[in-house]
Amino acid sequence: MKTFEIAVIGGGLAGMIAAIALGRGGRSVALVAPVAAKEDRRTTALMDQSIRFLDRLTLWEKLRSAAAPLTSMRIIDGTDRLLRAPTTTFRAAEVGLDAFGYNFPNKALTEILEAATAGEGNITRFTDMAESIEISTERVSITLAGGETLTADFAVGADGRGSKLREAAGIGVRNWSYPQSAMVLNFAHSLPHQNISSEFHTKHGPFTQVPLPGSRSSLVWVQDPAEAAARMELPLAELGSLVETQMQSMLGKVSIEEGVQLWPLSGMMAHRFGKGRIALIGEAAHVFPPIGAQGLNLSLRDILALTDILCDRAELPVPAGESFDRRRRADIMTRTASVDLLNRSLLSDFLPVQMLRAAGLHILSAIPPLRNLVMREGIEPGRGFRDIPDALREKLKRKKA
């Protein structure tokens, strides 16, 4: 029987990054997961805090050439309602950054992570699925589909919304769904995107274009499920015309690439994020719609917290699940609630809700200090509030001068 300090179950982006971070933190890690699928055509936008974490793990330089910077983000009211919000633009330069973050194909990061896990001396990869898991007060025992058994002092569940580790720990979940589907695709365009991401708010949800390197962008188009299914049947040229119209021809002629995908929208949150000798990260802990570039960024904050707890001293502090749960609860609940509220506000025909959304964007557009606070909070939770004293001191210095 093989014994490790930590077992990471799940080999998606979050699982592999967690294994690398813990391995480079000095822990012996078992990564229990089949090799990740290579046909993922989705893209991911990581914010500045997440990019700095990847840089710390020496992964960012390998990914940089496949990524496009996001220097500006604009929100456009694409509804035909009586009360429409003004177009609001957020610029990274306003908060002293070259870019809010970077957008890249998931496939590019997956390939980099596969190579990094294979080359990390503290990681042992098991490509069989976890068949059964037993959690005791002393250890976590994992039996693989091939019959092999391994034990670990602590286990990390990165095995998705159907997590076996979460089930073995007896942790329940809350599930909910939305009357929406997300169409995910990549497209080429004749006009340059200038590293600007545009999010159109429509009555069925956000239509979000995010730059890719060159004259290409990714798109997440949240729609009514029946309309989305019908559009999936259209020829790519016809679908491209619809996308161009929805974007008001901002990027000129649009050419949709092969591999359009459709995902029903739903949400899930575990009742606990850690317990005893286990912790849950990524979609084993939280799932919400692809709005506001929050998904993997939230997962990387899970990993940052877990690394701090498990790698800050020579001895492994187990059980540590409760510490992880306390540290992550506020961030996860706040982000989940804010994404849910934004999404439902777009769906609502209730006039006061439309008024509040329009007024909120108008205030952000008109008051730069508040806009800066929101931008900093979006990049790194707590950062905006931490920067308030420095901003006030700087303002006082300018007045005295």
Side-chain angles (χ1 to χ4, degrees), residues 290-369:
I291 295 171
Q294 294 300 313
L296 187 58
N297 289 284
L298 189 64
S299 300
L300 292 192
R301 293 201 294 275
D302 293 342
I303 298 166
L304 276 164
L306 193 61
T307 306
D308 287 344
I309 292 169
L310 297 179
C311 301
D312 70 341
R313 63 190 72 177
E315 68 279 6
L316 189 66
V318 291
E322 283 76 13
S323 297
F324 178 76
D325 179 70
R326 287 192 298 272
R327 187 177 296 196
R328 294 300 300 138
R329 183 161 292 276
D331 184 23
I332 292 171
M333 295 186 75
T334 300
R335 292 289 153 156
T336 303
S338 61
V339 169
D340 181 71
L341 181 62
L342 172 60
N343 192 36
R344 294 186 189 277
S345 74
L346 292 173
L347 295 174
S348 178
D349 288 323
F350 189 44
L351 190 59
V353 172
Q354 295 177 27
M355 290 175 62
L356 285 172
R357 187 175 66 83
L361 286 172
H362 181 78
I363 290 169
L364 289 177
S365 181
I367 306 177

Side-chain angles (χ1 to χ4, degrees), residues 3-25:
T3 302
F4 300 87
E5 289 181 292
I6 300 171
V8 177
I9 303 171
L13 298 180
M16 287 193 286
I17 294 171
I20 293 165
L22 294 166
R24 293 182 182 173

Side-chain angles (χ1 to χ4, degrees), residues 123-139:
I123 297 175
T124 302
R125 181 72 175 261
F126 297 88
T127 56
D128 282 337
M129 295 285 290
E131 186 70 25
S132 63
I133 303 170
E134 293 183 9
I135 305 168
S136 70
T137 55
E138 293 81 24
R139 66 184 62 86

Side-chain angles (χ1 to χ4, degrees), residues 36-277:
K38 295 295 193 299
E39 65 271 10
D40 189 348
R41 294 177 181 269
R42 292 173 295 174
T43 67
T44 294
L46 287 184
M47 297 297 103
D48 180 68
Q49 180 189 30
S50 299
I51 295 296
R52 284 186 278 118
F53 182 41
L54 290 187
D55 194 35
R56 197 173 93 191
L57 296 176
T58 68
L59 299 170
W60 169 235
E61 283 306 316
K62 299 179 179 70
L63 181 62
R64 183 191 289 271
S65 63
L70 309 180
T71 60
S72 296
M73 300 181 184
R74 61 187 167 205
I75 298 176
I76 302 166
D77 193 330
T79 68
D80 55 2
R81 290 167 174 161
L82 178 63
L83 290 171
R84 299 180 65 196
T87 296
T88 305
T89 302
F90 303 90
R91 296 176 178 85
E94 291 184 62
V95 289
L97 295 174
D98 294 329
F100 289 115
Y102 291 79
N103 190 43
F104 52 85
N106 285 6
K107 182 180 177 182
L109 180 56
T110 296
E111 290 172 351
I112 291 166
L113 295 176
E114 291 281 6
T117 55
E120 176 57 52
N122 281 343
I123 297 175
T124 302
R125 181 72 175 261
F126 297 88
T127 56
D128 282 337
M129 295 285 290
E131 186 70 25
S132 63
I133 303 170
E134 293 183 9
I135 305 168
S136 70
T137 55
E138 293 81 24
R139 66 184 62 86
V140 179
S141 299
I142 303 164
T143 301
L144 305 179
E148 188 173 8
T149 299
L150 59 95
T151 65
D153 296 317
F154 195 88
V156 180
D159 47 344
R161 63 189 306 163
S163 171
K164 282 197 171 183
L165 184 64
R166 189 185 65 228
E167 182 182 346
I171 297 175
V173 301
R174 179 171 69 90
N175 288 291
W176 63 95
S177 60
Y178 300 94
Q180 299 162 295
S181 292
M183 180 180 288
V184 179
L185 57 87
N186 298 328
F187 65 97
H189 37 81
S190 60
L191 298 179
H193 50 54
Q194 300 178 315
N195 299 322
I196 299 171
S197 174
S198 297
E199 180 169 292
F200 293 79
H201 287 179
T202 78
K203 64 180 181 180
H204 294 304
F207 172 104
T208 308
Q209 165 267 333
V210 189
L212 285 169
S215 295
R216 298 175 63 241
S217 291
S218 61
L219 176 69
V220 178
W221 186 0
V222 178
Q223 308 171 52
D224 172 81
E227 289 184 0
R231 287 169 179 154
M232 281 291 290
E233 302 300 319
L234 295 176
L236 293 183
E238 195 170 337
L239 181 59
S241 295
L242 289 177
V243 170
E244 182 179 336
T245 299
Q246 184 66 49
M247 288 207 67
Q248 303 170 9
S249 296
M250 284 181 174
L251 296 178
K253 179 69 176 174
V254 166
S255 300
I256 305 294
E257 299 175 3
E258 293 285 350
V260 181
Q261 297 174 316
L262 197 61
W263 303 82
L265 292 196
S266 62
M268 183 277 291
M269 185 189 295
H271 293 159
R272 297 174 60 97
F273 310 118
K275 177 182 178 182
R277 291 181 177 267

